[in-house]
Amino acid sequence: MKFSNLRLLVNDFDTCFTFYHDLLGLSCTWGKLGDNFASFTLGTPSVLSLFKADLMNAAINDSHTLVTESGRDKVALVLQVDNVNDTYQQLQKKGLSFLTEPKDMTAWGIRVVHFRDPEHNLIELYSDLPKEQWDHHLIEAEKI
């Protein structure tokens, strides 16, 4: 068995196609506006991962907000970028609304920001934290 792709099932194909192609700038390898299927290059070998839903909920919501099991996101599209701050500013200029502002998640070793696509799918952009910052976090965690 070999993983092929993650398929988002959308209701408004053209709006989502425009979002991923024009707004996020992903390269389309198959399909076009008006079609029923399109695929985009994401350029990474790690395409399936698991993560505790409670931790993602805490990352995107006020920690005091109680979210029921049925109200939690079941999937997140995670995209690596060179610089979260730069990408955040570029996408804001294009009119994208974000759930969070860029923030360091030192326990994860990354800087992240979150938003939703037109169908409300959760998207995380991340870039790696500098190794020194990550190493410092690990050293401090070992002291505890």
Side-chain angles (χ1 to χ4, degrees):
M1 191 177 300
K2 186 169 98 175
F3 184 80
S4 173
N5 64 68
L6 172 67
R7 183 173 297 155
L8 297 177
L9 306 176
V10 300
N11 294 307
D12 187 340
F13 179 88
D14 285 351
T15 298
C16 289
F17 182 95
T18 300
F19 178 84
Y20 285 98
H21 185 261
D22 297 346
L23 186 70
L24 293 187
L26 298 182
S27 176
C28 181
T29 58
W30 181 267
K32 62 186 181 308
L33 279 173
D35 280 355
N36 295 316
F37 176 83
S39 59
F40 298 90
T41 299
L42 296 176
T44 182
S46 180
V47 292
L48 179 64
S49 61
L50 302 177
F51 191 68
K52 287 189 174 183
D54 288 343
L55 294 176
M56 181 56 74
N57 184 56
I60 64 171
N61 291 304
D62 179 338
S63 60
H64 304 300
T65 303
L66 180 61
V67 179
T68 63
E69 181 70 26
S70 63
R72 289 187 190 148
D73 292 292
K74 298 295 183 190
V75 66
L77 178 60
V78 180
L79 304 172
Q80 185 175 17
V81 297
D82 290 333
N83 184 299
V84 166
N85 291 355
D86 291 347
T87 305
Y88 173 79
Q89 290 173 353
Q90 291 168 5
L91 293 175
Q92 267 193 324
K93 287 178 185 173
K94 292 182 177 183
L96 184 64
S97 296
F98 286 84
L99 297 171
T100 62
E101 292 187 9
K103 60 185 171 185
D104 290 348
M105 303 297 281
T106 53
W108 302 356
I110 58 177
R111 185 162 179 78
V112 300
V113 69
H114 298 93
F115 58 95
R116 294 192 184 281
D117 74 5
E119 299 271 332
H120 305 288
N121 293 302
L122 179 62
I123 301 174
E124 174 181 285
L125 300 179
Y126 83 94
S127 56
D128 293 325
L129 288 173
K131 185 168 176 15
E132 305 79 41
Q133 193 170 349
W134 177 242
D135 287 343
H136 175 72
H137 174 73
L138 292 176
I139 291 167
E140 292 301 313
E142 288 175 359
K143 291 180 183 176
I144 297 174

